[in-house]
Amino acid sequence: MSDIEIPESHPRYQSLLTRHRIEAGVEKGITSNQGLIAQGRGEAFDYLLGEQTIPSADAAERAAAAHLLLADHPVVSVNGNVAALCPAEVGELAEAVGADVEVNLFNRTEERMQAIADHLREHGVDEVKGLTADGRIPGLDHERAKVDADGIRSADVVVVPLEDGDRAEALGEMDKVEIVVDLNPMSRSAQVATVPIVDNIIRALPNITVHAEELSGASCEELEAIVADFDADDALGAAEKAIRSGGDE
């Protein structure tokens, strides 16, 4: 993506950068055409949030970090848009919390799975799961049901950014802790999440990583207190209020 020339002084710098990354992802075969539509929908919500991390989102990101540090087997799930937008940030988060990285797609082909895995490795992710697909998520009849048995299938905490609502519901039925990054607080994914993060993924993943690094020396009791203090309904309500009022909670 180094050939994209947008001056950082441009008032729409981040927005234009993410658009170009999604476009480049389609050209590279890692992002589906439907991903373009999903990106536009999310960008509209981000605009209403003032393109900023609101306080309730930052609190959710801190709770997410605590969950990940407490986890026995955390996994970061990656789809085409995530791979296009923030591949290096995925690797940095995974390293900070000791998580696996697994590719999971609705529009799944072997070529696209391999292209995303290669793209993640090019950006510093050492091991990428998802290609084995020797496990399934019960209750799903499409390609997102296919997971690795030693990845998402056996995980206790899963980061599911830019998620399909039906898989989020199915993972919830498996009693997994779900950390969902979704700019729409009214989406099914956000509504069923253990920790809904209403923030742009290009801000959310680095923020979770920073919180994880800051909390790396915390005791289990301290981390559990952060988890207990977080209220998903309050976070969703604050985000909806911010959207309706133009970024002010």
Side-chain angles (χ1 to χ4, degrees), residues 8-133:
E8 292 190 28
S9 59
H10 193 290
R12 304 292 297 149
Y13 172 75
Q14 288 294 341
S15 176
L16 292 172
L17 182 64
T18 55
R19 292 180 201 178
H20 278 295
R21 286 179 175 174
I22 290 290
E23 290 172 348
V26 172
E27 293 172 359
K28 194 171 182 179
I30 63 176
T31 303
S32 69
N33 288 327
Q34 291 90 334
L36 295 168
I37 299 170
Q39 173 63 23
R41 182 177 61 226
E43 186 173 305
F45 279 101
D46 199 24
Y47 191 82
L48 294 172
L49 282 168
E51 297 176 312
Q52 61 180 326
T53 299
I54 57 177
S56 61
D58 185 67
E61 288 153 0
R62 189 166 185 260
H67 271 293
L68 289 163
L69 290 170
L70 287 167
D72 292 323
H73 183 194
V75 174
V76 181
S77 182
V78 176
N79 65 14
N81 280 33
V82 175
L85 291 171
C86 45
E89 291 82 354
V90 166
E92 289 162 3
L93 173 59
E95 183 176 357
V97 299
D100 288 335
V101 174
E102 180 166 340
V103 181
N104 181 267
L105 303 176
F106 184 84
N107 296 298
R108 179 189 178 110
T109 66
E110 293 306 313
E111 293 79 13
R112 190 167 168 233
M113 292 289 293
Q114 190 63 58
I116 292 174
D118 291 344
H119 184 69
L120 290 169
R121 293 189 186 101
E122 289 169 8
H123 287 82
V125 180
D126 292 331
E127 183 179 356
V128 181
K129 294 183 182 294
L131 280 74
T132 304

Side-chain angles (χ1 to χ4, degrees), residues 126-149:
D126 292 331
E127 183 179 356
V128 181
K129 294 183 182 294
L131 280 74
T132 304
D134 54 349
R136 291 190 68 85
I137 299 173
L140 296 181
D141 297 324
H142 52 71
E143 293 293 281
R144 296 207 78 172
K146 296 179 180 179
V147 293
D148 279 12

Side-chain angles (χ1 to χ4, degrees), residues 5 17 33 40 42 46 49-50 57 60 74 91 101 171 181 183 207 213 224 229 245:
E5 296 183 4
L17 182 64
N33 288 327
D46 199 24
L49 282 168
V101 174
L171 288 171
V181 182
L183 280 159
N207 288 347
E213 291 170 346
E224 288 167 354
D229 285 344
S245 60

